[in-house]
């Protein structure tokens, strides 16, 4: 099991191996960042986007949270973490693409299906329960197709619907609507299979997920 002491060992490897080799790159990054892609992914420790996509520092602007969810556009008082990151990526960094990446065995999607945390107080499951209410409509859709919501098929469909939910919520933001309309921004849905290590991408025409060809 990795602890902070193990992380420090990794840091020392980074300093002795990667930092020295890529010192000039880091000097460039000190002056600013210019990522072309924003990735919205799950906080799950098994699905690190920079590892899956084999990217270098400065190449992707990443936001991670439970179930890779994007709240709909709203102006009510509150701390809008995802919305502020989205605004920064779109309006300041001017990213060209936003990728929403769900994944297999997602605990947030499973919790939404089971509703096991519903009614719990904040700090004991309540924060999670409130967050995943964004998946209520997706859950109803899955429930209409599956009598057993604990089945692998129901879980998979929920994970796919989670990606679709976030894409739909992204499109409630006026800045997204404007940039999609003038084709300066593209939204992409993806899902990563942990067991197989395969990426599936949502086809806009068929509204289905297809495996990416690894040899292309």
């Amino acid at each position: 099991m990795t602890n902070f002491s193990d992380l420090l060992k990794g840091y020392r490897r980074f300093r002795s191996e990667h930092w020295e080799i890529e010192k000039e790159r880091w000097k460039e990054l000190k002056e600013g960042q210019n990522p072309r892609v924003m990735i919205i992914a799950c906080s799950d420790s098994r699905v690190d986007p920079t590892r899956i996509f084999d990217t270098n520092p400065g190449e992707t602007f990443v936001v991670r949270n439970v179930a890779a969810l994007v709240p709909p556009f709203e102006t009510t008082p509150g701390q809008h973490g995802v919305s502020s990151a989205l605004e920064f990526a779109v309006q300041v960094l001017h990213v060209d693409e936003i990728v929403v990446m769900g994944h297999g065995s997602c605990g947030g999607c499973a919790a939404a299906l089971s509703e096991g945390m519903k009614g719990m107080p904040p700090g004991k499951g309540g924060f999670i329960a409130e967050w995943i209410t964004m998946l209520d409509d997706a859950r109803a859709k899955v429930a209409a197709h599956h009598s057993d919501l604990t089945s692998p098929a129901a879980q998979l469909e929920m994970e796919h619907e989670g990606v679709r939910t976030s894409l739909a919520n992204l499109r409630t933001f006026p800045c997204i609507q404007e940039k999609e309309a003038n084709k300066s921004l593209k939204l992409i849905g993806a899902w990563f299979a942990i067991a197989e290590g395969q990426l599936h991408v949502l086809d806009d025409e068929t509204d289905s997920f297809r495996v990416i060809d690894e040899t292309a």
Side-chain angles (χ1 to χ4, degrees):
M1 184 70 75
T2 301
N3 56 27
F4 188 63
S5 294
D6 295 315
L7 296 182
L8 290 179
K9 292 176 185 176
Y11 162 71
R12 294 184 181 103
R13 289 194 301 273
F14 160 73
R15 286 289 298 178
S16 63
E17 299 171 15
H18 303 292
W19 169 263
E20 288 302 322
I21 295 173
E22 300 176 352
K23 190 179 292 185
E24 291 305 313
R25 170 67 173 160
W26 286 100
K27 285 182 180 178
E28 291 177 8
L29 290 174
K30 187 182 82 165
E31 303 303 321
Q33 59 174 323
N34 187 35
R36 306 320 315 142
V37 181
M38 177 184 191
I39 301 174
I40 300 168
C42 186
S43 300
D44 195 298
S45 62
R46 299 165 293 179
V47 285
D48 180 358
T50 60
R51 187 73 178 269
I52 293 168
F53 294 112
D54 192 24
T55 59
N56 295 313
E59 291 182 339
T60 55
F61 187 79
V62 180
V63 172
R64 300 178 69 176
N65 61 52
V66 173
L69 292 175
V70 176
F73 178 79
E74 59 182 359
T75 57
T76 55
Q79 305 297 326
H80 302 291
V82 176
S83 299
S84 63
L86 177 66
E87 186 175 69
F88 184 75
V90 172
Q91 302 290 59
V92 179
L93 297 177
H94 303 292
V95 297
D96 302 315
E97 298 173 317
I98 300 176
V99 179
V100 175
M101 188 179 76
H103 69 93
S105 305
C106 179
C109 288
L113 277 178
S114 70
E115 295 187 323
M117 294 183 179
K118 197 170 186 178
M120 288 186 174
K124 295 186 177 181
F127 288 128
I128 298 170
E130 176 62 25
W131 178 252
I132 58 178
T133 57
M134 281 185 274
L135 292 172
D136 283 353
D137 289 344
R139 183 187 186 278
K141 187 174 180 179
V142 174
H145 298 159
H146 300 274
S147 57
D148 181 7
L149 293 182
T150 65
S151 69
Q155 173 75 16
L156 176 61
E157 184 174 341
M158 188 65 177
E159 291 160 0
H160 287 176
E161 286 302 319
V163 173
R164 293 187 180 97
T165 296
S166 286
L167 289 172
N169 286 348
L170 278 170
R171 292 186 168 105
T172 65
F173 285 76
C175 61
I176 300 289
Q177 295 169 4
E178 177 185 347
K179 289 178 180 289
E180 261 204 310
N182 65 27
K183 301 188 184 306
S184 62
L185 179 66
K186 182 177 182 181
L187 304 187
I188 301 167
W191 177 85
F192 181 73
I194 292 176
E196 295 81 18
Q198 290 182 318
L199 185 72
H200 300 230
V201 172
L202 182 63
D203 187 311
D204 291 333
E205 293 185 5
T206 64
D207 194 36
S208 59
F209 286 81
R210 58 180 178 80
V211 179
I212 290 299
D213 184 357
E214 300 168 22
T215 61

